[in-house]
Amino acid sequence: MDLSRRLAAEALGTALLVATVVGSGIMAERLTTDTALALLGNTLPTGAILVVLITILGPISGAHFNPAVSLVFALRRELAPRDAALYALVQVLGGIAGTIVAHLMFGEAPLQLSGHIRTGGPQWFAEAVAAFGLVAVILAGLVHARTAIPWLVGLYITAAYWFTASTSFANPAVTLARALTASFSGIRPLDAPGFILAQLAGALIALAVCGWLLAPSKATR
């Protein structure tokens, strides 16, 4: 696909992903005061939409929807550095658009600043683990189960919502977009840089580990 269509797919996919995360968070918050039930209501739509979006947009752009993933593919020399930078830009813009769309659907102010505190060593470590796992799932899936990647990613994020202390943002563009909602899924803007640095670190560690783990053995070369 030409670059313009790939960028459109990345922007659209990230927008729909964030609209799902933020919108389902608002819906869950309005329907229940039970935090665990609200988190479940936020989790299931997110995992489901990832399966859908990766399936339908993957053939166009690779369905990264995540600057950390685009960085990994640039370092693997499977995406030109300029294209990776443009991917990241449209992912961030698409994510912000997704937040606005979710707010408008629920009659909220288009953009808000979150007051949801998410900071500290355990939260940062959780984000590094979340991003590590996401990138590892993608890279291993490309080797062992390429056609299953939509399900692998969707199921991984569904699980990571619950086994990570941070509820697995695992995505710098989504983190920035979620800093612009005061709803259940938000993150205080002051806390976003720590999450993003942890996500990038986790993604790079996964790239290094998978580069060794998934390399063909000498006997098969």
Side-chain angles (χ1 to χ4, degrees):
M1 292 289 181
D2 59 76
L3 181 59
S4 62
R5 282 188 283 182
R6 286 189 283 136
L7 294 177
E10 286 296 306
L12 176 61
T14 312
L16 290 172
L17 171 59
V18 171
T20 301
V21 173
V22 175
S24 64
I26 296 172
M27 178 68 82
E29 200 171 34
R30 291 186 178 184
L31 292 177
T32 182
T33 57
D34 184 324
T35 303
L37 187 57
L39 181 60
L40 182 62
N42 199 200
T43 302
L44 297 178
T46 303
I49 200 65
L50 280 168
V51 174
V52 173
L53 293 175
I54 296 170
T55 299
I56 64 173
L57 297 177
I60 300 175
S61 68
H64 297 181
F65 316 141
N66 186 333
V69 172
S70 296
L71 173 63
V72 165
F73 279 92
L75 292 174
R76 282 164 57 93
R77 299 183 180 179
E78 296 176 23
L79 185 65
R82 172 178 170 272
D83 291 358
L86 291 172
Y87 267 42
L89 175 61
V90 299
Q91 288 157 0
V92 169
L93 295 176
I96 294 170
T99 296
I100 294 171
V101 167
H103 286 163
L104 293 177
M105 286 193 294
F106 286 92
E108 301 274 350
L111 291 175
Q112 310 155 12
L113 292 181
S114 176
H116 195 150
I117 299 172
R118 302 180 190 262
T119 190
Q123 293 271 311
W124 299 329
F125 180 60
E127 274 305 290
V129 170
F132 173 91
L134 174 62
V135 171
V137 164
I138 293 169
L139 296 181
L142 287 171
V143 174
H144 300 303
R146 183 179 290 265
T147 59
I149 286 177
W151 284 97
L152 294 175
V153 172
L155 289 171
Y156 172 77
I157 291 297
T158 299
Y161 255 75
W162 286 84
F163 80 75
T164 62
S166 61
T167 68
S168 184
F169 286 47
N171 184 329
V174 169
T175 301
L176 290 172
R178 289 172 68 168
L180 299 175
T181 180
S183 65
F184 178 80
S185 61
I187 176 174
R188 190 173 58 164
L190 181 64
D191 300 334
F195 266 48
I196 291 170
L197 289 175
Q199 291 157 4
L200 293 174
L204 293 176
I205 293 169
L207 174 62
V209 170
C210 289
W212 167 77
L213 184 64
L214 301 173
S217 65
K218 292 181 180 179
T220 61
R221 287 176 179 168

